[in-house]
Amino acid sequence: MGFSDRSYNQVPSGPSRRWAPSLTPWVKRLLVVNFGVWLIGALGLLAPGFTDLTAFDPQVLVTHPWTPLTYMFVHGGFWHVAFNMIGVFFFGPPLERLWGGRDFIRFYLVCGLGAALASILLWPLIGPHSVVGASGAVFGLLLAFGLRWPDQPIYLYGLFPIKAKWFVSGLALLSLISTYRVAVVGRGDGVAHWTHLGGLLTAYLYLKYRETGRLLPKRLSMMRRGWKVSSGGDNGGTEPTTSRQRWPESGSKRGSGKSGSESADQVDQILEKIRASGLESLSAEEKRVLDEMSRRYRGGS
């Protein structure tokens, strides 16, 4: 499973070198934590009862209130953690570059919590159960990617190209059918398909809510929303604001000589370059322009 367009999750290392995977900060952390917890368990270094203390079980939620969070970082075996982290590896970086690190990890955790909520809501139908794994959060990433880049080919088993929108739609249908078989028919395969469905539904509702502008900029866009450029941070040095104001229509206080519309167009081009290639691709002049427009947007400082 992977991308065909290398610009989504890869950056060039030089004019004559091959393109190489480029992981973003929070994606790296998720990979390290999830594989690290599995490895420690595989080596027998975890305390007895660790899984019972960290797995999510609706029946013990009152006495184990931390489990809606911790269950996302515990897996049942190597292939369980491997398949989930493959999803994080491929679909996480382009989304983190698009949103920034803070919003990316918030979205990831919200989808995981939504998957846990699905376990609670379906508990009367499914019966007693315990859940571990990051599948709900990963399915949320899949949905977000499919909505943002619907026609991007995803190579199933590395051979068969499927457009992202159909790939995600197929997974959603499979999750729905499998959840129905468990909750209504009573036939399961040992996989918590309802958490997949919960992650997908949570991601959809969250992203639709974002489009209203009440949580984050409308339509997941960075354009015309005012970005603060700094020298560091998990999101590559950028941090979106949530204000609804437009860029100033007059020239800057320092006399840039450009009209508001010209400046806004220039900033739009710079932000599009950040989205495609990352902050490191900007020239010194482009960083200066973006920083100046950010100060003008905030009223000067």
Side-chain angles (χ1 to χ4, degrees):
M1 181 170 60
F3 297 123
S4 66
D5 185 346
R6 290 176 287 190
S7 66
Y8 283 109
N9 70 333
Q10 298 173 310
V11 295
S13 57
S16 60
R17 298 181 183 180
R18 295 177 62 85
W19 292 62
S22 176
L23 296 179
T24 47
W26 275 108
V27 167
K28 291 179 183 178
R29 292 167 187 156
L30 289 172
L31 294 176
V32 169
V33 171
N34 281 276
F35 275 116
V37 171
W38 168 80
L39 181 60
I40 292 173
L43 295 175
L45 301 179
L46 294 178
F50 175 80
T51 301
D52 292 335
L53 288 173
T54 53
F56 178 72
D57 185 342
Q59 296 181 98
V60 297
L61 179 59
V62 175
T63 57
H64 296 68
W66 55 85
T67 54
L69 180 65
T70 58
Y71 89 99
M72 294 182 241
F73 302 96
V74 183
H75 291 81
F78 172 75
W79 290 113
H80 189 197
V81 66
F83 278 115
N84 279 337
M85 292 305 102
I86 286 174
V88 173
F89 176 86
F90 280 113
F91 301 103
L95 292 171
E96 184 173 350
R97 292 192 192 99
L98 177 66
W99 296 335
R102 182 184 303 173
D103 295 326
F104 169 79
I105 192 61
R106 179 191 295 125
F107 175 79
Y108 182 90
L109 295 177
V110 166
C111 290
L113 293 173
L117 178 61
S119 284
I120 297 175
L121 296 177
L122 292 175
W123 178 28
L125 295 176
I126 297 173
H129 62 274
S130 180
V131 179
V132 294
S135 300
V138 173
F139 270 63
L141 297 183
L142 292 175
L143 182 88
F145 184 91
L147 290 176
R148 181 60 181 83
W149 296 287
D151 295 321
Q152 177 67 24
I154 296 173
Y155 282 82
L156 189 62
Y157 303 115
L159 297 173
F160 309 105
I162 303 175
K163 288 186 177 181
K165 59 185 177 183
W166 302 124
F167 181 76
V168 175
S169 297
L171 289 178
L173 181 60
L174 179 62
S175 299
L176 181 61
I177 294 174
S178 299
T179 299
Y180 174 83
R181 286 169 58 87
V182 175
V184 179
V185 182
R187 298 175 60 185
D189 55 5
V191 177
H193 295 284
W194 57 90
T195 62
H196 303 170
L197 193 62
L200 289 169
L201 182 59
T202 301
Y204 178 79
L205 294 176
Y206 184 81
L207 294 174
K208 295 300 290 185
Y209 189 55
R210 286 178 66 163
E211 288 182 0
T212 68
R214 283 175 284 179
L215 287 180
L216 292 174
K218 188 177 181 180
R219 295 187 180 281
L220 311 181
S221 174
M222 297 185 297
M223 304 304 180
R224 301 177 184 268
R225 296 299 176 187
W227 280 69
K228 177 181 178 182
V229 179
S230 61
S231 58
D234 292 340
N235 56 8
T238 58
E239 180 179 353
T241 66
T242 56
S243 174
R244 289 172 167 267
Q245 290 178 283
R246 295 185 176 273
W247 292 100
E249 296 298 328
S250 58
S252 72
K253 296 179 181 179
R254 301 182 183 180
S256 65
K258 293 184 178 181
S259 68
S261 60
E262 290 175 342
S263 298
D265 290 340
Q266 185 178 14
V267 172
D268 284 352
Q269 294 174 2
I270 294 173
L271 292 175
E272 179 62 25
K273 186 175 181 180
I274 293 175
R275 187 200 67 76
S277 305
L279 186 65
E280 64 277 1
S281 66
L282 298 184
S283 65
E285 176 63 17
E286 288 170 330
K287 291 180 179 179
R288 185 197 64 77
V289 170
L290 194 58
D291 193 27
E292 178 182 342
M293 290 300 295
S294 180
R295 286 197 301 269
R296 286 168 55 190
Y297 174 76
R298 296 193 303 270
S301 58

